[in-house]
Amino acid sequence: MICKFVGWTRDDKGKVLNWHFKDICNTITSKVGRNGNTYPSVCISNNNSNKSMIAKIYPDGHPDLLGKKDPTHPVRYFDIRKLTPTECFRLMGVSDNDIEKINQSGLSKSACYKLAGNSIVVDCLYYIYRNIWLTEDEQPQTGDVMNLFDEPTFRVPLPKTINMVTLCSGYDSQCLAMERLVSDAKQKGYDVSFDLKAWSEFDPESRSALEKQPAVVAHNSLFPQFADRNVGDMTKADWSFLKGEDIDLLTYSTPCQSISQAGKRTGIKRDSGTRSSILWYTENAIRALRPKFLLQENVRALVNKVNVDDFKEWQKVCQDCGYTNYWTIMNAKDFGVPQNRERVFMLSVRNDLNLPTYRFPKPFRLDKAIVDILEDDVNESYFLKPQSVIKFFEANEKSEDTGIHYLVTDHKLSDAEIAKVRGAEKS
């Protein structure tokens, strides 16, 4: 089976300007599933199906035929369907075992789409964690210039228990990544676990009680042992109940709606009242808990010209709290997940730990494609109607596509059927 992600760009009025087919997925956003234009879709080769499919019949000599095993056979068969919630969770690095727990929680498909789009790719978090607690000495690569004055490796001794607090937790990709790190550490012979001392998840726009809000339901399905530790609205949290706790890591992934390219872009200025401006309440938790490490995640627009001054001001807040900041942009496709998803990560290290310079993980070659995250058996409701797909392609034909004919069929066309279609075009 050949599978490609179907993406398209639109103008301000929603008209499709062009479309493309890729081996990796575009960024999954929180708006996934809210209308027909936001569903991520895949084009799947369908040469052996007994269901209705689309036959794309090319004219002789068309460039697309050059990649076929038999370029003289001018037909390609395919379906286009939406990605399922399970596939979107896989694109966020969530394991099938954990996806099943979320699916069993009874959440709607639209809620699951939104949860996936709002979360953090587990793999990116895992590699950041690994460069804190399981750092390996880098071996020089061929062509590297030897340096007699390389800085020492950033490596923190693993505690018996890694104590965490997560703000704007969602279903807590942060804890899923920590579970993975702990598992790896145990395989290396370490006696280690993690404990989520508190988490904060609250949707002010929801009409449901806190425990029935989708992110909270999903979190409790994954981590029932921490269900009673949700402090709710972080802007009203009193952190004194954790006085005396030794917190290793505080993560905060505050809302991106006000700065995202897909959002309202009203900014994150302090006291502005925007959804994203709750970032500044993180300072209350930092000063009260004094964690060893702070980890921020947000959309790339955090560092664009509109928001970068506020980001710099936030860095100054962390510095004033006694931390050294390191930030970078990481793309999920560089860390094992077939999704083109760029996010800003900032790790702040408490100064009194006297640690060397932190280095973010290096990208590595992606060995997965969109086909690797697909479910084997998908309900017919996810497939787009063939006639609608054909209308879409015909309405957006490019000049080089002149002469292509589309046909709905439930079988592979014979040479006679192909000739008949082509003959009808010529007559």
Side-chain angles (χ1 to χ4, degrees), residues 247-258:
I247 304 301
D248 295 287
L249 176 66
L250 169 72
T251 71
Y252 55 107
S253 182
T254 48
C256 66
Q257 291 98 314
S258 309

Side-chain angles (χ1 to χ4, degrees), residues 94-155:
V94 183
S95 71
D96 283 356
N97 182 55
D98 288 326
I99 294 171
E100 182 59 26
K101 292 177 184 177
I102 296 175
N103 289 340
Q104 289 180 356
S105 69
L107 291 172
S108 67
K109 287 192 294 185
S110 60
C112 287
Y113 277 124
K114 184 176 180 179
L115 285 172
N118 269 335
S119 64
I120 312 172
V121 174
V122 174
D123 302 66
C124 291
L125 291 165
Y126 162 75
Y127 286 108
I128 292 172
Y129 293 171
R130 198 173 75 171
N131 274 24
I132 299 174
W133 287 287
L134 287 179
T135 314
E136 297 178 357
D137 292 318
E138 292 187 6
Q139 300 300 316
Q141 304 296 312
T142 302
D144 283 355
V145 177
M146 299 300 293
N147 189 343
L148 297 177
F149 303 101
D150 281 339
E151 292 190 31
T153 301
F154 185 105
R155 182 186 293 117

Side-chain angles (χ1 to χ4, degrees), residues 369-415:
I370 193 73
V371 68
D372 296 309
I373 61 92
L374 297 186
E375 294 189 82
D376 293 329
D377 187 18
V378 175
N379 189 282
E380 289 290 320
S381 62
Y382 289 97
F383 286 81
L384 306 189
K385 294 179 179 179
Q387 291 292 358
S388 298
V389 175
I390 290 174
K391 287 181 180 179
F392 170 82
F393 280 112
E394 288 179 341
N396 294 281
E397 271 190 348
K398 301 176 184 178
S399 58
E400 60 265 30
D401 292 330
T402 302
I404 291 178
H405 190 81
Y406 297 96
L407 184 71
V408 180
T409 178
D410 60 2
H411 64 278
K412 293 185 69 173
L413 302 176
S414 66
D415 290 342

